[in-house]
């Protein structure tokens, strides 16, 4: 697999390590046994969506509490195009 490894040396943006991805998944790995008893199989996609939002906030260095406090109230009365503008990235861009 030497040719694949060489890409790390040919392109500076390609990381040699996957530590960043591994470290961001650590809380999921630690908690997954606890989540086996959280509810039904239908709860899996919901937990994944929540973790995705939380990790996006962390990556963007947003306060998770501020983001959720601003976005969640009244979310059920919003239209789909309005909800699309509430992703962490778009919400942060609207605050600057």
């Amino acid at each position: 697999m030497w040719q694949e490894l060489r890409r790390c040396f040919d392109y500076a943006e390609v990381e040699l390590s996957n530590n960043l991805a591994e470290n961001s998944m650590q809380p999921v790995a630690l908690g997954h046994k606890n989540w086996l008893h959280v509810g039904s199989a239908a709860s899996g996609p919901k937990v994944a969506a929540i973790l995705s939002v939380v990790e996006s906030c962390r990556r963007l260095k947003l306060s998770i509490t501020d983001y959720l406090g601003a976005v969640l109230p009244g979310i059920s009365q919003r239209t789909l195009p309005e909800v699309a503008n509430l992703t962490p990235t778009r919400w942060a861009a609207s605050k600057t």
Side-chain angles (χ1 to χ4, degrees), residues 23-60:
N23 289 340
S24 70
M25 292 301 297
Q26 187 178 15
V28 175
L30 292 174
H32 89 282
K33 285 187 179 180
N34 295 331
W35 300 333
L36 289 174
H37 308 289
V38 166
S40 66
S43 64
K46 295 172 187 171
V47 170
I50 292 167
L51 287 173
S52 177
V53 167
V54 168
E55 193 58 37
S56 292
C57 287
R58 283 188 186 143
R59 190 185 69 234
L60 295 168

Side-chain angles (χ1 to χ4, degrees), residues 1-81:
M1 297 184 67
W2 182 251
Q3 190 173 14
E4 289 81 3
L5 179 62
R6 288 275 318 150
R7 288 188 184 136
C8 295
F9 303 115
D10 296 335
Y11 302 98
E13 63 273 3
V14 177
E15 299 251 356
L16 185 58
S17 168
N18 69 345
N19 285 341
L20 186 62
E22 290 285 335
N23 289 340
S24 70
M25 292 301 297
Q26 187 178 15
V28 175
L30 292 174
H32 89 282
K33 285 187 179 180
N34 295 331
W35 300 333
L36 289 174
H37 308 289
V38 166
S40 66
S43 64
K46 295 172 187 171
V47 170
I50 292 167
L51 287 173
S52 177
V53 167
V54 168
E55 193 58 37
S56 292
C57 287
R58 283 188 186 143
R59 190 185 69 234
L60 295 168
K61 295 180 175 46
L62 297 175
S63 166
I64 298 165
T65 306
D66 291 346
Y67 171 75
L68 293 176
V71 169
L72 289 181
I75 198 166
S76 62
Q77 285 81 34
R78 297 180 192 237
T79 64
L80 191 55

